[in-house]
Amino acid sequence: MIRVLIADDEDMIRTALAALLRLEPDIDVIAECRDGAEAVEVATRLTPDVCLFDVEMPGMDGVDAAAVLRRTVATRIVAVTRHARPGVLRRALAAGVHGFMPKSRRAQDVAEVIRQVAGGRRYIDPEVAADALADERSPLTDRELDVLRAGAGGETIAQIASTLHLSPGTVRNHVSSILGKLHLRTRQQAAIEARERGWI
């Protein structure tokens, strides 16, 4: 039996998927979690063969949870997402996931990916992989990406400056450069764009 932990903050999706996977003769869903932090705690205790993580969860998301577990638990991780953008794939692979697929796939497909990953193979949805190969790299400098990361939670210019040990004027210059390069109007839009593309 392949012991599986599922983490998804949408109760209906999580419970429905768990019920469908429990119909498979070789899959045992041993735990259901609502967020990444709970998933890390439960996976550390139960050591499932495969963790199936939704990428978009409140607090610690699926990618961050994967990165933590990669260092602490011998489990394999499949990331599922409603927004299968190339940058999200790159971020997930950097965190050490073994499988990546959109949520639009059928439960039978999910079961087959779980089997592949449990068997030591990797799986990346072919359409997402093709898009990732064609996607452009970040036009932002490392320091500009640092500014976006430091302000991703809505921090003020002064707070970003303090975090990065820069002057507020330097931070404003970086923000202006970021907005110009991305053709956007606000820092919040830039942070969303960078997160969706997997730059931060």
Side-chain angles (χ1 to χ4, degrees), residues 95-167:
V97 304
H98 305 92
F100 188 91
M101 62 191 303
K103 274 189 168 182
S104 57
R105 299 292 293 271
R106 300 173 310 153
Q108 294 92 329
D109 296 331
V110 176
E112 185 52 39
V113 169
I114 288 171
R115 291 183 186 104
Q116 287 184 37
V117 168
R121 296 185 299 276
R122 287 184 174 270
Y123 176 85
I124 298 184
D125 181 78
E127 288 183 25
V128 178
D131 288 345
L133 290 172
D135 193 49
E136 65 184 67
R137 294 293 177 176
S138 170
L140 305 179
T141 67
D142 288 343
R143 186 48 104 179
E144 288 167 348
L145 292 172
D146 288 342
V147 167
L148 280 183
R149 278 188 205 94
E155 290 80 359
T156 65
I157 294 289
Q159 289 170 322
I160 295 169
S162 175
T163 298
L164 298 178
H165 307 291
L166 299 172
S167 72

